Amino acid sequence: GTAWAWGNNSYGQLGDGTTTQHSVPMQVSGLSGVVAVAAGGGHSLALKGDGTVWAWGSNWTGQLGDGTTAGRPTPLQVSGLSGVVAVAAGGAHSLALKEGGTVWAWGYNDHGQVGGGAYHQLTPVQVSGLSEVVAVAAGSMHSLALKGDGTIWAWGGNEWGQLGRGTLSEGGWPDQVSGLGRVVGIAASGAHNLALKDDGTLWAWGSNYYGQLGDGT
């Protein structure tokens, strides 16, 4: 149940109380009972077995969820969250899935990736219009949710079509990704997404600048 981190530490995202880079794993200070972790652009999240979420690193847009914009080189508990079963970290925003199937978000919201609230959402807010969610994923400036019925819902930035709406229009509200059958797994990166369907096929959409959609172009 301990967490370990390595790499860039410019914002304290390794959680060892310093901003010194490490090329080998270092234990994150003061954490135990961890069951899941997530890494964002400059911040990190940990989910403990008691359903609490802990965050550290960059906080210039409130992505640590403590009500401030002060960076933290060691973990602190995200305010007002309990009963969390999954977490995701985006470029500068964070997502939490609670055991009742609701999604909560905080941090940078310039493209609506938090799904409501202030431009910089300093504490978690519930994403409206979502229920029965079983998984979440966060890209650089967009968010995804997988519902129990196998549908994917997306919101936030859409410059590269990562919301799967057939347009490049942004959306600060969750909308269903079209053209997919029953999905069982999701992943989001900078500006593209992956969906694993129940038939074992893999689907991708969004930015393809580096060929990340795997279609040969």
Side-chain angles (χ1 to χ4, degrees):
T2 58
W4 294 69
W6 58 100
N8 185 16
N9 198 27
S10 300
Y11 303 103
Q13 60 264 53
L14 300 189
D16 67 343
T18 77
T19 55
T20 303
Q21 297 186 144
H22 295 292
S23 58
V24 294
M26 306 288 292
Q27 186 171 349
V28 178
S29 301
L31 277 184
S32 61
V34 175
V35 296
V37 291
H43 72 291
S44 304
L45 301 177
L47 171 63
K48 296 182 70 171
D50 62 4
T52 60
V53 179
W54 297 70
W56 61 99
S58 176
N59 195 31
W60 67 283
T61 60
Q63 59 264 52
L64 301 189
D66 68 341
T68 78
T69 56
R72 310 281 182 171
T74 55
L76 78 166
Q77 187 173 345
V78 178
S79 303
L81 276 183
S82 61
V84 175
V85 296
V87 291
H93 73 289
S94 306
L95 302 176
L97 171 63
K98 296 186 72 171
E99 55 193 1
T102 59
V103 178
W104 296 70
W106 61 98
Y108 198 27
N109 197 30
D110 64 329
H111 296 278
Q113 59 265 52
V114 169
Y119 179 65
H120 295 339
Q121 182 61 47
L122 305 185
T123 55
V125 292
Q126 185 174 349
V127 179
S128 60
L130 281 179
S131 61
E132 299 179 353
V133 174
V134 296
V136 289
S140 179
M141 295 185 181
H142 72 287
S143 304
L144 295 181
L146 173 62
K147 296 183 70 171
D149 63 2
T151 59
I152 299 177
W153 297 71
W155 63 101
N158 196 34
E159 181 181 5
W160 302 101
Q162 59 264 47
L163 298 189
R165 301 179 179 183
T167 73
L168 299 181
S169 300
E170 293 184 352
W173 63 94
D175 201 6
Q176 186 174 343
V177 177
S178 58
L180 288 172
R182 185 173 179 82
V183 174
V184 296
I186 55 174
S189 188
H192 76 287
N193 306 302
L194 301 176
L196 173 63
K197 293 180 63 172
D198 61 356
D199 63 1
T201 58
L202 187 63
W203 295 69
W205 65 101
S207 175
N208 199 30
Y209 189 80
Y210 298 102
Q212 56 264 56
L213 302 189
D215 66 346
T217 73

